[in-house]
Amino acid sequence: MDQLPAALERAGNEGSWAVADAISRVLKDSEELHSWRTHLLSACMKGLVAMYCSSKDESKQEVERSMLLRLEELLCVVEEVDPDEWCSFVKTGLKYRYRDETFLKVLNVAIQLLYKKEPSL
């Protein structure tokens, strides 16, 4: 379990996400679930950056689409990201996928989640 997030970060390792999903189901009622999801969110962003850099021509659209939807789902639950990872994801995504509709939709949702205004006191 400790080594899985590092394996998920590498491009071309999509099958490992089935194991991550199984672990998430086991941790469903556990105190460790939020921490686990935070690790998965980080791995998902790093994995997408690796995919974007390795296949600049959008040849793995379906894999990227499923990863983006996973990212959106994790962001809705965790609602916080590492600033360096976020910057890398946005910069690389906009560089290589600025025309990809799914990327832009997920980016829009992420921006709304992460930069929502705090209620005034």
Side-chain angles (χ1 to χ4, degrees):
M1 186 170 145
D2 296 334
Q3 297 171 354
L4 187 58
L8 295 172
E9 294 172 11
R10 293 188 293 273
N13 208 4
E14 297 80 31
S16 298
W17 282 99
V19 176
D21 291 339
I23 292 172
S24 295
R25 284 190 296 275
V26 169
L27 294 175
K28 187 171 106 176
D29 297 324
S30 170
E31 297 172 2
E32 297 177 50
L33 183 60
H34 184 75
S35 174
W36 173 247
R37 285 180 173 162
T38 302
H39 290 300
L40 291 181
L41 177 61
S42 173
C44 190
M45 283 195 296
K46 289 177 182 177
L48 282 164
V49 167
M51 264 191 254
Y52 294 159
C53 290
S54 69
S55 71
K56 298 172 177 130
D57 61 350
E58 300 181 37
S59 61
K60 296 182 177 182
Q61 261 187 333
E62 194 54 42
V63 174
E64 287 179 12
R65 184 178 188 284
S66 69
M67 289 288 289
L68 283 165
L69 296 177
R70 181 182 302 275
L71 176 70
E72 181 179 0
E73 178 184 320
L74 288 166
L75 275 170
C76 289
V77 176
V78 177
E79 293 187 349
E80 59 185 300
V81 295
D82 177 82
D84 293 333
E85 292 171 2
W86 172 248
C87 182
S88 178
F89 169 73
V90 172
K91 182 179 174 182
T92 308
L94 288 173
K95 182 176 182 178
Y96 297 117
R97 300 297 186 266
Y98 63 92
R99 290 187 212 153
D100 181 28
E101 185 178 347
T102 306
F103 169 76
L104 293 173
K105 283 181 180 179
V106 171
L107 181 62
N108 184 38
V109 168
I111 288 170
Q112 290 178 13
L113 282 170
L114 297 173
Y115 296 97
K116 62 185 170 193
K117 292 184 179 180
E118 295 295 321
S120 59
L121 297 174

